Amino acid sequence: DLARHFEGSQVSKGDYLFFEGDPSERIYLAPKGRIKVVRHSPEGREVLIEVVAAGRPFGLLAGVEKQPLSASAVAMEDCALLSIDTNRFLSLMQAHPSLSISVIHDLASRLRDARDRIRSLALERVEQRIARALLSLAETLGKRSEGRIVLDIALTRQDIASMVGTTVESAIRTMSRFQKSGVLRTESGGRIHILDLEALQGIAESLPPPSERADARHIKP
């Protein structure tokens, strides 16, 4: 019943699917391919809000609230796109409780992510915030290859800075430290290879390096 109401289209890399402030007329998902959700500063600088993994709906919150869209969406690669009329989707939610529960789960997950980001901005150092952002991307977009995790997305230092609320200079310095310590490696195209996942998790949680934690286990109280 849900699937027959979706319409399909093709979008090319760099295409805008909608703009901040547009009315919420449709809800979208990309079965394959990734979409980035962005906002623009008054100076025109693009701020990365979220990378939407394949198969996850977007434009959902504005649709449920019947409010204008709060951000813009851009295709990160050529991909197929599915969309459904917002009013039709809301009617289907009323007719199918299981769909409503799925929407609640998705919105709760996004709320938890937003809460964690606010806490991170308020309490954590820049290197912790960047480590958390990379771990989050690894969870949704990471691919294991030869004992490492490759983030299948090209990220600029500006992207990283905007995700964690810091300056580009701070992002450059932090990523440089991560590379020198062997935690990760960055390709020239912007793809990031996480070489030491445990160390990155330790940075995110503000723990000592794994080697120091191993030594500490041998110290008697």
Side-chain angles (χ1 to χ4, degrees):
D1 193 19
L2 178 64
R4 66 190 179 90
H5 292 289
F6 275 90
E7 297 178 9
S9 59
Q10 296 290 326
V11 293
S12 301
K13 180 179 179 179
D15 284 352
Y16 276 80
L17 313 182
F18 53 75
F19 291 92
E20 179 181 350
D22 285 351
S24 177
E25 297 176 342
R26 305 191 72 79
I27 293 168
Y28 302 84
L29 65 86
K32 293 183 179 180
R34 290 154 304 176
I35 308 297
K36 63 178 179 179
V37 178
V38 301
R39 299 188 74 174
H40 293 92
S41 70
E43 299 79 23
R45 181 171 61 87
E46 183 181 281
V47 178
L48 179 64
I49 303 299
E50 179 187 9
V51 177
V52 183
R56 188 172 194 184
F58 56 99
L60 187 58
L61 179 59
V64 171
E65 291 185 315
K66 295 187 177 180
Q67 295 292 322
L69 293 154
S70 61
S72 304
V74 188
M76 300 184 70
E77 55 198 351
D78 296 346
C79 59
L81 187 70
L82 295 175
S83 67
I84 183 172
D85 177 80
T86 297
N87 291 328
R88 172 61 63 185
F89 187 80
L90 295 176
S91 296
L92 288 167
M93 284 179 60
Q94 292 178 336
H96 299 282
S98 60
L99 176 59
S100 297
I101 291 171
S102 294
V103 169
I104 291 170
H105 285 169
D106 185 82
L107 295 180
S109 174
R110 293 176 188 274
L111 177 61
R112 184 168 56 251
D113 290 344
R115 181 197 61 195
D116 290 345
R117 180 177 291 192
I118 292 170
R119 183 196 66 179
S120 176
L121 289 171
L123 301 175
E124 295 179 346
R125 304 187 312 276
V126 170
E127 65 176 13
Q128 286 180 273
R129 303 203 302 262
I130 290 179
R132 284 190 185 277
L134 294 176
L135 289 171
S136 177
L137 290 172
E139 185 176 343
T140 56
L141 302 173
K143 295 183 178 180
R144 291 197 173 271
S145 175
E146 299 178 354
R148 66 191 62 182
I149 297 176
V150 181
L151 301 187
D152 194 20
I153 176 178
L155 287 173
T156 66
R157 296 298 184 261
Q158 177 65 68
D159 289 333
I160 294 171
S162 66
M163 288 178 69
V164 303
T166 190
T167 64
V168 177
E169 293 76 15
S170 293
I172 291 171
R173 287 195 298 269
T174 302
M175 292 295 288
S176 178
R177 286 199 298 271
F178 287 175
Q179 291 193 79
K180 288 179 180 178
S181 62
V183 174
L184 54 81
R185 176 174 62 82
T186 304
E187 293 180 357
S188 57
R191 276 183 168 75
I192 296 172
H193 296 244
I194 298 175
L195 308 178
D196 191 335
L197 182 63
E198 185 179 357
L200 191 63
Q201 290 169 333
I203 294 169
E205 300 298 333
S206 194
L207 297 174
S211 58
E212 294 181 18
R213 278 178 269 159
D215 292 340
R217 285 195 290 267
H218 299 291
I219 299 175
K220 295 182 179 180

